[in-house]
Amino acid sequence: MRSFDVVVIGSGPAGEVVAGRLGGAGLEVALIEDRLVGGECAYWACMPSKALLRPAEVLAEVRRIPGAAEAVTGSLDVAAVLRRRDEVIHDLDDATQLPWLEEAGVVLFRGRGTVTAERTVQVEGGETLEARRAVVLASGSRALVPPIEGLREAEPWTNVEATTAKRAPDSLVVLGGGVVGVEMAQAYASFGTHVTVVEALDRLIAREEPFASEQVADALRERGVTVQVGRRATRVERAAGAVAVTLEDGTIATGEELLVAIGRRPSTAAVEALGYEPGKPVDVDHQGRSARHDWLWAVGDVNGIAPLTHMGKYQARLVADAISGRRDDPAQQLANGALSPRVIFTDPQVAAVGHTLQSARDAGIAARAVDVGTSTNAGGSFYGRGAPGTARIVIDDARGVIAGATVTGADVADFLHAFTIAVVAEVPLERLWHAVPPFPTRSELWLRLLETAGL
């Protein structure tokens, strides 16, 4: 048995950060990974999906700008997009990720890690590791494949296959109109694939503001995507080189391939021997420590709080500091996942933080919404006047602060951090009035929002 201060299971973004931060604090750290160092985000989710989406987004923007639009004479080079995607994911080779582990003094073990007893982790086919201080579970999540008749037998794509495919199919059915569903629908539509999106709820990206759902749906339809909402799949069959999806109203959606994008489940196999329920989030306290074992911590998707890469990395920093003793604040709270900053990288993009108008009212806040067009100021004209987009702040008048914000439009993801600071820091509206946006930039929408709010 080899002994370490901390054993980390999973080397996705959360696992990488917690291991590196603990190693940097001088602790002896073991990191266990059964796939690739860097995890789902680096190879089968965030990074490759953005590589697939960005070229069409740039092309759409150029076509909105007089002078530049006239220079666009060709169409998207799909083969070149896929080659660039392969560069981004390093051809599914994690060699470039290894030097930083050595620099941080982190010891990597390849294989599946299983917690077999208190502070004890068995590496499949390898060594048994003892954790003197803590075991950190950072095993992430996996795509959920629902129990629809014939679905598993049809060998559907998940995000793994969708983000690493070597060619674009002629047609694609997407089950699910959440983030993965709409992003991949738009990416493949830009490649010339005929895409059908089937969503059981009455609108796409249902957790976001209704106007965001409408704008994304409109953008998909403009790109030739068939959008069917309020319909459930009841049966799936693959035959003669095609997949047929029967919907509850009897209609059938067909495609060369089928992508299942209806959600994810925490990957809990490493701790199920301790009695944790398969596929259910590991309950943690305000600092990320398991509610059932004081030596076990859980960060990222596996705790179910906020299944987003940036939030997993945030949790990892807090957990590493608590374990190392760098920061042991009993008042520390892992951020409310439902209110986390989030971006959907479609065109228009959807960037949101905090409450929507409805969720604020559901939380008992006497909220009101203030809306302005994202591209209706001078700065916006340089991105293409009239480009679709809405900026909304949700105001808590009782406290005089912004409870939430949603911005849609072309290339608005980097707008979000300013809104996040305003929401998280609870900056009074009267103070925000004196934060002057520069001219001519799209950030002048802050001025228009505050003016419309009555300042």
Side-chain angles (χ1 to χ4, degrees):
M1 180 181 290
R2 294 186 61 177
S3 183
F4 295 85
D5 290 315
V6 181
V7 176
V8 181
I9 302 174
S11 71
E16 283 184 320
V17 169
V18 75
R21 197 167 178 90
L22 288 168
L27 275 67
E28 295 182 335
V29 181
L31 180 63
I32 303 173
E33 176 56 55
D34 65 339
R35 294 195 295 174
L36 297 174
V37 175
E40 192 96 1
C41 178
Y43 300 101
W44 304 286
C46 318
M47 296 301 289
S49 65
K50 304 314 163 282
L52 297 177
L53 286 160
R54 180 61 176 157
E57 180 185 38
V58 172
L59 192 57
E61 181 177 327
V62 170
R63 286 173 171 160
R64 288 194 295 265
I65 308 300
E70 288 74 9
V72 177
T73 58
S75 58
L76 203 66
D77 185 332
V78 178
V81 174
L82 297 180
R83 286 195 299 271
R84 172 58 183 154
R85 183 273 320 273
D86 289 341
E87 291 177 2
V88 169
I89 63 175
H90 301 285
D91 293 308
L92 298 180
D93 183 341
D94 64 2
T96 59
Q97 297 272 32
L98 304 185
W100 77 263
L101 291 176
E102 296 179 8
E103 293 171 5
V106 176
V107 180
L108 175 65
F109 292 85
R110 300 276 190 181
R112 191 178 299 275
T114 302
V115 182
T116 56
E118 181 174 336
R119 305 175 194 271
T120 304
V121 182
Q122 177 68 48
V123 182
E124 183 180 19
E127 300 184 61
T128 300
L129 310 181
E130 175 194 31
R132 294 187 293 267
R133 291 198 188 187
V135 174
V136 180
L137 184 64
S139 49
S141 62
R142 63 185 185 275
L144 174 62
V145 179
I148 297 172
E149 180 184 350
L151 179 56
R152 287 189 179 275
E153 293 76 8
E155 300 180 341
W157 283 3
T158 65
N159 63 289
V160 171
E161 293 78 16
T163 55
T164 58
K166 294 300 184 182
R167 55 174 289 272
D170 292 332
S171 53
L172 175 68
V173 178
V174 179
L175 286 186
V179 178
V180 173
V182 296
E183 286 190 351
M184 290 297 92
Q186 190 163 99
Y188 276 93
S190 74
F191 300 158
T193 299
H194 180 266
V195 180
T196 301
V197 176
V198 178
E199 169 55 55
L201 299 178
D202 61 0
R203 61 187 177 95
L204 304 179
I205 53 171
R207 71 169 291 183
E208 304 301 344
E209 295 282 9
F211 69 79
S213 299
E214 292 172 9
Q215 290 174 17
V216 169
D218 287 346
L220 290 175
R221 291 187 177 105
E222 288 173 6
R223 289 163 172 78
V225 176
T226 301
V227 178
Q228 301 194 51
V229 296
R231 299 186 182 186
R232 295 182 181 275
T234 60
R235 186 171 183 274
V236 177
E237 182 179 11
R238 183 184 287 273
V243 180
V245 181
T246 302
L247 307 182
E248 59 188 350
D249 62 0
T251 59
I252 297 177
T254 61
E256 181 182 343
E257 295 292 349
L258 168 65
L259 167 61
V260 177
I262 66 167
R264 301 185 66 81
R265 298 181 63 189
S267 296
T268 54
V271 294
E272 288 168 13
L274 301 180
Y276 291 90
E277 189 173 352
K280 299 295 183 181
V282 174
D283 289 336
V284 295
D285 66 11
H286 64 286
Q287 288 189 307
R289 191 194 303 259
S290 167
R292 296 167 57 181
H293 299 90
D294 63 4
W295 48 269
L296 179 66
W297 303 69
V299 295
D301 287 13
V302 75
N303 67 29
I305 294 173
L308 298 161
T309 294
H310 46 281
M311 297 308 295
K313 293 166 71 172
Y314 158 77
Q315 293 174 12
R317 292 190 291 271
L318 298 184
V319 164
D321 289 351
I323 291 173
S324 67
R326 177 179 177 181
R327 185 178 293 111
D328 188 12
D329 180 3
Q332 173 182 300
Q333 295 286 334
L334 297 187
N336 184 334
L339 305 182
S340 303
R342 51 204 185 269
V343 179
I344 302 170
F345 288 87
T346 46
D347 183 19
Q349 291 178 350
V350 180
V353 62
H355 283 290
T356 63
L357 179 60
Q358 187 59 53
S359 72
R361 290 174 174 171
D362 291 345
I365 299 171
R368 63 185 173 103
V370 174
D371 297 352
V372 301
T374 303
S375 297
T376 55
N377 57 24
S381 68
F382 301 121
Y383 284 78
R385 184 168 294 281
T390 302
R392 166 175 287 185
I393 53 175
V394 176
I395 296 175
D396 178 350
D397 274 323
R399 296 189 299 142
V401 298
I402 298 174
T406 299
V407 185
T408 65
D411 201 19
V412 297
D414 285 328
F415 279 30
L416 187 57
H417 196 52
F419 286 99
T420 300
I421 292 169
V423 171
V424 172
E426 299 182 329
V427 182
L429 291 171
E430 292 288 348
R431 175 72 67 179
L432 287 172
W433 179 246
H434 297 288
V436 181
F439 179 88
T441 68
R442 290 191 295 169
S443 61
E444 276 200 308
L445 64 83
W446 274 96
L447 176 60
R448 300 292 170 251
L449 285 167
L450 295 175
E451 284 180 333
T452 306
L455 275 76

